Amino acid sequence: MSEQTTGDVIDSVLGLEAGSELKALREKREKLKALTQSSYLAALRPKEPRNFPYPLRAAIAARMSALWKADELAAHYRGLLEQEGSTAELLNVADSGWTPEDGQSRLAAILRHVDLVTLNPKAATRANIEALHAAGLDDRDIVTLAGLIAFVNYQILVVAGLKMLRDN
Amino acid sequence: MTVVNDFTLEPLDWHPYVKPVDLSAATPEQLDALKVTPSNTKVSAYVLVLAQEAETLAERTPLFNDIMYSEGGLSRGGRELGALAASFVNHCVYCAAVHANRYIQLEKRPEVVDEIYRSGLDADLPEYDQALFNFGVDLTAHPDNVGVYQFYHLREKGLDDLEILDLIHSVAIFGWANRLMHTLGEPHRKD
């Protein structure tokens, strides 16, 4: 595996070196820290990526990080996208201001869901899941997408909280 | 069936919009991921839905448990308050009901939960609880705007670094849980 996915991603995006006080604090919750990293691998680089290839996962993660202005994570995920094999379209996906021209496409439906559930999850309803079904996603795809969105939002909140501790 | 859209402390059932894994047809990896859930007698519909992605579920369950139940640091009740704040912002009615009831069991202070259910995000709470609750609301609603103000509010109420770390994680794991539970299904009143 590449340097983007080995080591601890959160330590790395926060620039926590050996000897840092915050790194030592995180290590008091060693199990939680390790499971956060293994959850990252399960969300971004699962053994069976199925209908969500690694580069698409990285691009969607970069987009969600950009939506919350989580600059360090956005940079990390753009780097990961580069390594996984980027395309012009995936670079667009990573840009939180971009939406596909064909609003009826599978990708457009996926990104509408990503944007909604990232920024305004309380507004999500059954109709949003029906829209994903209508765009051709199966039940497992929907759980895959929900899991990716949910994990990256968790990571964004953890990084935001840790930055507060690092900088104060 | 009665869909519940408003916050309640009544016991609820959760009905998924997508197909749960059929236990009798589950793969060995799915069965393995399901085994580590705390409810060992009956697997919930929620966990059976998540088992569609067994690799993720197998990491998520122990992570959730460690965040909410690990020894030391922030009290169990304090973590439930972080979970409740996140669930109120994200309007996860099911998550809120479960964790409000757990808070009451642990802390024996139903008045804290009553005030949150009455006033929502504007709840007026005893100082220490207010600091935890406000942090949960702020981190959930504005992760791009959490900093010195939130930090000093927590410090002023005496939270040390490990307690703050535990609070961050209890809020963040509900940023995760709410985005599954509130988007993949809906709560119904128990019949």
Side-chain angles (χ1 to χ4, degrees), chain B residues 124-136:
Chain B
D124 182 11
L125 304 171
E127 281 186 9
Y128 180 81
D129 308 302
Q130 188 82 61
L132 301 185
F133 185 74
N134 286 3
F135 181 76

Side-chain angles (χ1 to χ4, degrees), chain A residues 21-22 25-26 28-36 38-39 41-43 45-48 50 57 67-70 113 117-127 129 133 138-144 146-147 149-151 153-165 168, chain B residues 1 15-19 29 49-53 55-56 58-60 62-63 66-67 70-74 79 88-91 135 139-144 146-148 150-152 154-155 161-162 164-166 168-169 171-180 182-184 186 188:
Chain A
E21 214 178 304
L22 184 54
L25 177 67
R26 289 195 76 208
K28 288 190 185 168
R29 293 292 188 217
E30 204 177 357
K31 185 175 173 190
L32 181 170
K33 185 181 176 190
L35 287 164
T36 296
S38 52
S39 293
L41 293 173
R45 299 195 115 250
K47 287 192 290 290
E48 297 171 46
R50 212 166 155 264
R57 290 170 190 253
L67 283 169
W68 279 125
K69 302 178 184 69
H113 197 68
V117 176
T118 295
L119 291 180
N120 195 17
K122 68 172 181 289
T125 67
R126 180 192 289 270
I129 298 302
H133 277 137
D138 64 21
D139 283 336
R140 178 158 171 194
D141 290 336
I142 290 171
V143 175
T144 302
I149 295 170
F151 169 75
N153 275 279
Y154 161 79
Q155 193 185 30
I156 288 167
L157 298 191
V158 169
V159 167
L162 292 174
K163 272 178 74 176
M164 176 189 82
L165 282 173
N168 287 286
Chain B
M1 71 173 209
H15 291 229
Y17 304 142
V18 297
K19 216 171 51 255
E29 196 191 7
V49 164
L50 299 186
Q52 296 249 19
E53 279 292 351
E55 189 177 342
T56 301
E59 306 302 328
R60 188 188 175 278
L63 174 61
D66 197 67
I67 288 174
S70 62
E71 297 279 320
L74 185 63
R79 300 181 206 193
F88 259 73
V89 172
N90 292 331
H91 205 86
F135 181 76
L139 182 62
T140 304
H142 305 288
D144 51 344
V146 166
V148 60
Q150 285 76 13
F151 178 76
Y152 282 103
L154 294 171
R155 266 290 192 266
D161 286 349
L162 184 61
I164 295 176
L165 184 75
D166 288 342
I168 291 167
H169 284 104
V171 174
I173 195 69
F174 278 80
W176 182 335
N178 297 159
R179 281 178 175 82
L180 296 174
H182 179 64
T183 69
L184 291 174
E186 62 194 2
H188 289 201

Side-chain angles (χ1 to χ4, degrees), chain B residues 1-4 10-15 187-191:
Chain B
M1 71 173 209
T2 325
V3 180
V4 180
E10 283 178 50
L12 299 169
D13 280 327
W14 185 82
H15 291 229
H188 289 201
R189 213 168 297 286
K190 269 193 199 291
D191 300 323

Side-chain angles (χ1 to χ4, degrees), chain A residues 21-164:
Chain A
E21 214 178 304
L22 184 54
K23 192 173 157 81
L25 177 67
R26 289 195 76 208
E27 278 155 13
K28 288 190 185 168
R29 293 292 188 217
E30 204 177 357
K31 185 175 173 190
L32 181 170
K33 185 181 176 190
L35 287 164
T36 296
Q37 177 63 21
S38 52
S39 293
Y40 165 89
L41 293 173
L44 274 302
R45 299 195 115 250
K47 287 192 290 290
E48 297 171 46
R50 212 166 155 264
N51 297 327
F52 285 85
Y54 298 154
L56 176 60
R57 290 170 190 253
I60 290 173
R63 182 183 185 90
M64 292 188 277
S65 306
L67 283 169
W68 279 125
K69 302 178 184 69
D71 298 338
E72 297 89 344
L73 278 171
H76 165 78
Y77 282 120
R78 283 194 304 271
L80 182 62
L81 171 58
E82 198 60 39
Q83 272 183 6
E84 304 284 18
S86 193
T87 63
E89 183 172 64
L90 289 175
L91 283 173
N92 282 332
V93 168
D95 172 356
S96 59
W98 180 82
T99 51
E101 246 171 70
D102 177 4
Q104 303 301 308
S105 65
R106 176 178 182 272
L107 182 62
I110 288 172
L111 296 185
R112 271 195 297 274
H113 197 68
V114 166
D115 293 355
L116 174 77
V117 176
T118 295
L119 291 180
N120 195 17
K122 68 172 181 289
T125 67
R126 180 192 289 270
N128 300 111
I129 298 302
E130 284 167 1
L132 293 173
H133 277 137
L137 279 77
D138 64 21
D139 283 336
R140 178 158 171 194
D141 290 336
I142 290 171
V143 175
T144 302
L145 180 60
L148 177 63
I149 295 170
F151 169 75
V152 175
N153 275 279
Y154 161 79
Q155 193 185 30
I156 288 167
L157 298 191
V158 169
V159 167
L162 292 174
K163 272 178 74 176
M164 176 189 82

